[in-house]
Amino acid sequence: MRTTVALLFGGRSGEHGISCVTAGGILSAIDRDRFDVVAIGITREGGWVHVSDDPSDWTLVDGRAPEVAPEGPEVLLPATRHRPGTRSMLRQVVDGVISRLAEIDVVFPLLHGAYGEDGTVQGMLEMLDIPYVGSGVLASAGCMDKAAAKQLLGAADIACAPGIVVHEDRWAEGADEVMAHLERHHPLPWFVKPARAGSSLGVSRVDDPAQLEHAMKGAFAEDPKVLIEEMVAGREVECGVLQGVDTYEVRTTVPGEVRIGEDLDFYDYEAKYFGKGTVCIDVPAGLPDAVLEEVREVASRAFTVLGLEGLARVDVFVTEDQRVLVNEVNTMPGFTPYSMFPVLWENMGLSYADLLAGLIEQARGRRLGVR
């Protein structure tokens, strides 16, 4: 019997469209001789619908990302917990009639951002004992919240960019106090970023304190919790990580580097996905072997410290004096054929299709319940 995988994508976050593009990439690469696929889209309003599994329906068109439309059959989750040795039954509602959709073995949650990558969907699947790809509730929530992740990493002596956390309520009550603190303790430029958003949504560079109000407004549009960090003068390097097979030792890739041209202030949302500015991706990164090994070691330690499972992409800065500082950890990195994560593993000799198969089979074999 072939393994049946439910791909879950779209979602309520600002990264809805990128999640759909990620799904398109996986639908085009997954081995259909080995896996049956059920495509489930989550609309921007939170509805679950049965959607097309044709990858051409989930690609960028004229610079626009696809969206999950609400018109498809509503998908219903199992009414009871999954029992060991059985499959989980999904149902659908068509014209008011409930019918069988599919029996699934595992869920692949391709959701980026809030209400998907932050432990919420993971918690729901845990309650139903449905196997799924990726990290659990605590690890997903901890990495989605960049402020929390920095605290956990700092406790393990893994360096991150210096900065502060500001809640929208605190900003409304004392913006002048926050500004005074920044000017005393954190040299310009600053990077303002939502604590719980990805893909550089809501991120701004501030070179003048007069720009801070506008930057905070943009970040608060994504999240009421915001980080203000000092700029790290360094190279942006990314490392792919996979959970070990039959051992606790994790596997890492040779790191890659993102290089931006002078026409960009930083690697923002439009540059990542819509061709804005000059961006070069070097795999492997053009760094000394000793530094590449240090990046891999930091990525491996971060994966372990944060309690991650399955996969992650660890993004770091490498400074001029070759210090390695963690920027952020992504528990569900972008997964298009051109995204850094599959490209890094392709460089290690692991094909896109085999990467997906390994993640799915590992999820199937993971112990259910509290681990």
Side-chain angles (χ1 to χ4, degrees), residues 109 116-130 132-145 148 152 306-309 331 366 369-371:
E117 197 178 352
D118 59 354
T120 50
V121 164
Q122 290 76 12
M124 179 197 66
L125 296 172
E126 292 278 1
M127 291 182 69
L128 293 170
D129 279 342
I130 299 175
Y132 60 92
V133 174
S135 290
V137 176
L138 178 60
S140 297
C143 289
M144 189 75 254
D145 188 325
L152 293 167
L306 295 169
L308 304 187
E309 298 173 272
T331 57
R366 192 161 67 187
V370 178
R371 293 187 287 283

Side-chain angles (χ1 to χ4, degrees), residues 48-51 69-75 93:
W48 291 45
V49 292
H50 184 207
V51 297
E71 287 78 23
E74 179 185 3
V75 173
V93 182

Side-chain angles (χ1 to χ4, degrees), residues 1-6 82 86-88 103-107 130-132 363-364:
M1 184 181 296
R2 295 196 299 186
T3 299
T4 300
V5 184
H82 167 87
T86 66
R87 307 168 100 187
S88 297
E103 291 183 338
I104 63 167
D105 297 289
V106 64
V107 171
I130 299 175
Y132 60 92
R364 284 196 67 192

